[in-house]
Amino acid sequence: MDKYIDNRYRVKKEIGRGGGGCVYLVYDEKLGKNWAMKEIKDQYMREVETLKTIDYPAFPRIVDLLTTRTSYFLIMDYVDGLTLREYIQT
């Protein structure tokens, strides 16, 4: 069974995990497009506020922000490619 966020974003797979939360590849059923979705716990709200203000080509665009009682979900550009860890190891 597929997991949906906000009845719109279908979680396809986890693509990263770190101290600040998890990142998932999600499919936007409304637009027919893949996005990255970063789940951020409440204590990292400063990161959310900072990311919302960045408008620079080297950073992914934030296109949606969803909230629950315990988490925030940033929907942002998905960039297919190597992770920094994979790049360093090649």
Side-chain angles (χ1 to χ4, degrees):
M1 180 175 195
D2 290 327
K3 179 178 181 180
Y4 283 83
I5 305 296
D6 200 37
N7 293 319
R8 177 175 177 175
Y9 302 102
R10 179 171 40 93
V11 178
K12 294 174 81 173
K13 66 179 180 176
E14 182 179 308
I15 55 177
R17 180 178 290 269
C22 292
V23 179
Y24 302 91
L25 174 62
V26 297
Y27 181 76
D28 185 337
E29 297 287 345
K30 185 175 180 180
L31 297 178
K33 180 176 171 110
N34 285 325
W35 299 106
M37 179 182 75
K38 183 170 186 178
E39 179 181 14
I40 300 175
K41 300 299 180 194
D42 196 33
Q43 65 265 29
Y44 295 101
M45 188 54 191
R46 277 184 80 182
E47 179 181 352
V48 172
E49 293 301 323
T50 301
L51 289 172
K52 286 185 344 185
T53 64
I54 296 173
D55 183 14
Y56 189 74
F59 287 87
R61 292 174 303 143
I62 307 256
V63 296
D64 204 352
L65 173 62
L66 310 170
T67 60
T68 67
R69 285 182 280 148
T70 58
S71 297
Y72 296 88
F73 296 94
L74 288 177
I75 308 297
M76 61 185 92
D77 287 325
Y78 170 67
V79 179
D80 192 17
L82 298 174
T83 66
L84 181 58
R85 182 179 309 255
E86 291 167 339
Y87 180 77
I88 290 171
Q89 292 174 347
T90 60

